[in-house]
Amino acid sequence: MIRLHEFNTQWWGQPAGIIDDSAFFSMPAEAQQLALAPFRWAEFKSRFKNAPSLSALQRAGFFQIDTQEEFRIALKNGPLSPCDRPLEVRFADEQPFEVRNSDFASFEHERYRHLLGCTEELINARYGQWARSLVREYPKTCLEVCADGATQFWFLSRPEANGLNLTLAMVRREAEISGFLLFEKALAAYAARGHRIGFASFSVLNTAVHNIYAKLGAHFLPPTGIWLWVQ
């Protein structure tokens, strides 16, 4: 019902939990607090239509920290929008690459920014560690987009039974190409490798990414709420 989130625990340096079953919020208050006690903070995610009542979440000490917009998108290898500089795609299984914490632009809409003591350096360390693990484990679906030999963008994905999980998109700090053109080029490269459906989610606060996926023809699904408990 509640378990250790190993990645967040390693990143944060203190035990972080995740609740997998909404039945947790039907437990007596004493049992909830006993289950939460080993953790510095814990997270719960649910589609809003399936979520416990707000009063049940509040009684357990949880507050909403984010809303994630989920989507599915058809991956097409058709004509691309014009770009004044030729874009090149490099997959990690063909040309290995590394993503350093200082390479990518800040994640302004990251929900863990709201944790007391969190810094931009910590957020970058989390994404850097995540990015490197994806490149290492899924080199055939991790790519970078370059212009004139300079990396502009990384798209790091993993294949699943129901399509390609478009896990992590990262723009280089010094990128000079518009985000839309970079996303479009990357998704077309996935289509050229035989992938047909992609899916992912992003914070509703990230209007720029929302507009990009909308322009690319994404089909949006009911949103997911994310709640946090902090000791």
Side-chain angles (χ1 to χ4, degrees):
M1 194 171 292
I2 182 169
R3 60 180 172 84
L4 186 74
H5 192 298
E6 294 184 5
F7 182 85
N8 278 343
T9 296
Q10 181 182 9
W11 164 63
W12 191 249
Q14 298 180 69
I18 187 164
I19 295 172
D20 295 316
D21 189 343
S22 62
F24 173 87
F25 297 95
S26 300
M27 293 168 57
E30 296 80 4
Q32 290 176 345
Q33 294 309 307
L34 185 63
L36 289 166
F39 303 102
R40 182 66 184 88
W41 49 273
E43 192 172 47
F44 172 67
K45 304 178 183 180
S46 174
R47 290 271 178 92
F48 282 102
K49 63 180 181 180
N50 301 323
S53 67
L54 291 180
S55 59
L57 288 158
Q58 290 168 352
R59 280 197 301 271
F62 282 73
F63 58 93
Q64 188 175 352
I65 197 169
D66 194 15
T67 297
Q68 289 277 309
E69 185 66 72
E70 299 184 39
F71 69 92
R72 294 179 66 82
I73 188 168
L75 303 176
K76 303 173 183 177
N77 188 22
L80 301 180
S81 303
C83 180
D84 58 1
R85 296 166 64 185
L87 299 179
E88 176 191 3
V89 171
R90 300 171 180 170
F91 279 91
D93 65 327
E94 297 174 335
Q95 293 181 266
F97 57 82
E98 183 180 0
V99 183
R100 297 174 300 180
N101 297 355
S102 59
D103 287 342
F104 48 86
S106 300
F107 284 81
E108 298 178 3
H109 308 291
E110 169 54 53
R111 61 186 176 273
Y112 298 129
R113 283 181 174 273
H114 301 292
L115 288 168
L116 185 64
C118 195
T119 63
E120 182 174 335
E121 289 73 23
L122 270 173
I123 294 295
N124 287 0
R126 183 178 191 275
Y127 277 94
Q129 181 181 349
W130 190 11
R132 289 185 289 274
S133 69
L134 288 167
V135 173
R136 183 174 61 253
E137 294 176 32
Y138 306 100
K140 292 183 179 180
T141 49
C142 289
L143 61 82
E144 60 180 1
V145 181
C146 304
D148 300 326
T151 302
Q152 304 287 310
F153 180 69
W154 298 271
F155 218 136
L156 313 176
S157 304
R158 62 180 190 270
E160 297 187 6
N162 57 338
L164 187 64
N165 187 324
L166 305 170
T167 311
L168 186 55
M170 311 171 77
V171 178
R172 192 179 185 92
R173 287 182 185 272
E174 299 84 7
E176 300 172 342
I177 307 297
S178 82
F180 173 80
L181 295 176
L182 296 170
F183 273 80
E184 184 184 46
K185 182 71 174 181
L187 296 184
Y190 284 135
R193 281 206 164 189
H195 300 282
R196 293 293 172 258
I197 296 292
F199 65 95
S201 64
F202 56 88
S203 173
V204 296
L205 297 174
N206 198 338
T207 305
V209 166
H210 198 158
N211 285 333
I212 287 172
Y213 278 123
K215 190 174 180 180
L216 289 169
H219 173 70
F220 297 100
L221 304 173
T224 293
I226 302 181
W227 292 266
L228 201 66
W229 171 89
V230 179
Q231 194 175 73

